[in-house]
Amino acid sequence: MVRGLDYYTGPIWEVSAEGFPGSIASGGRYDQLVAKLGGPDMPACGGSIGLERILAIQEAEAPAARGLDVALTVLGAEEEIVRLAGRLRARGLRTGVYLGSSGKLAKQMKWANDQHARWVLLYGPDEQDTKTVTVRDMESGEQSQIQIADVAANLAERAATV
């Protein structure tokens, strides 16, 4: 192995990461280098670490960031939405409530998508009349109606099997 610099006088080393080009750390022994740079003649060794390369490798190998389990839209009935969020969180589901100023469903769905939500809950006027919640699966696009009293248990059970 040749590090490419002629000041090494003894063993040299290089660390690489499988699947990534180049080294992430290297070094070796370089006697007389200090004297060549104007200091006393002394034995020396050292190394360097490529922090940027290590961080890039970590980022590439990191699992996909997990988002919310459940995103709650706000289409009225804010008090019931807050209670529902509490029940979902009590079941261990990562739950977010839309806090933006837009009442438009499209903006709220975009927010849910940006949060990488697994499910979005819609509780608009129709759902309020029937005491149901529309659950939209953001991966499949399927929607289902679930009684509001049962939705926390239902989603917790679904989350356990995913």
Side-chain angles (χ1 to χ4, degrees), residues 7-12 28-31:
Y7 56 74
Y8 287 107
T9 60
I12 58 173
R29 176 126 184 147
Y30 39 85
D31 295 335

Side-chain angles (χ1 to χ4, degrees), residues 134-146:
T134 299
V135 178
R136 181 179 178 103
D137 185 314
M138 294 296 279
E139 289 181 9
S140 69
E142 294 178 12
Q143 289 189 173
S144 58
Q145 298 287 120
I146 300 176

Side-chain angles (χ1 to χ4, degrees), residues 23-25 48-61:
S23 64
I24 59 173
S48 65
I49 297 175
L51 186 58
E52 292 85 5
R53 288 185 180 196
I54 293 171
L55 293 175
I57 291 168
Q58 284 182 323
E59 186 175 315
E61 292 181 345

Side-chain angles (χ1 to χ4, degrees), residues 16-155:
S16 60
E18 189 173 321
F20 293 91
S23 64
I24 59 173
S26 62
R29 176 126 184 147
Y30 39 85
D31 295 335
Q32 296 104 29
L33 181 61
V34 176
K36 287 180 183 178
L37 297 173
D41 187 14
M42 60 176 34
C45 65
S48 65
I49 297 175
L51 186 58
E52 292 85 5
R53 288 185 180 196
I54 293 171
L55 293 175
I57 291 168
Q58 284 182 323
E59 186 175 315
E61 292 181 345
R66 290 184 63 190
L68 294 175
D69 292 316
V70 182
L72 293 168
T73 60
V74 178
L75 305 169
E78 289 84 4
E79 289 181 25
E80 184 62 32
I81 293 293
V82 171
R83 282 193 290 275
L84 180 55
R87 291 196 307 266
L88 292 161
R89 290 176 182 136
R91 294 283 188 149
L93 297 168
R94 291 179 314 276
T95 302
V97 177
Y98 178 74
L99 299 175
S101 60
S102 177
K104 294 182 179 181
L105 182 58
K107 287 210 183 248
Q108 295 188 39
M109 293 298 285
K110 181 184 179 325
W111 164 79
N113 192 52
D114 291 346
Q115 300 303 308
H116 304 288
R118 176 73 168 91
W119 297 287
V120 176
L121 302 188
L122 308 172
Y123 189 62
D126 292 341
E127 290 87 1
Q128 293 164 31
D129 290 344
T130 59
K131 303 227 183 297
T132 61
V133 176
T134 299
V135 178
R136 181 179 178 103
D137 185 314
M138 294 296 279
E139 289 181 9
S140 69
E142 294 178 12
Q143 289 189 173
S144 58
Q145 298 287 120
I146 300 176
Q147 292 294 309
I148 194 164
D150 301 330
V151 73
N154 181 288
L155 291 179

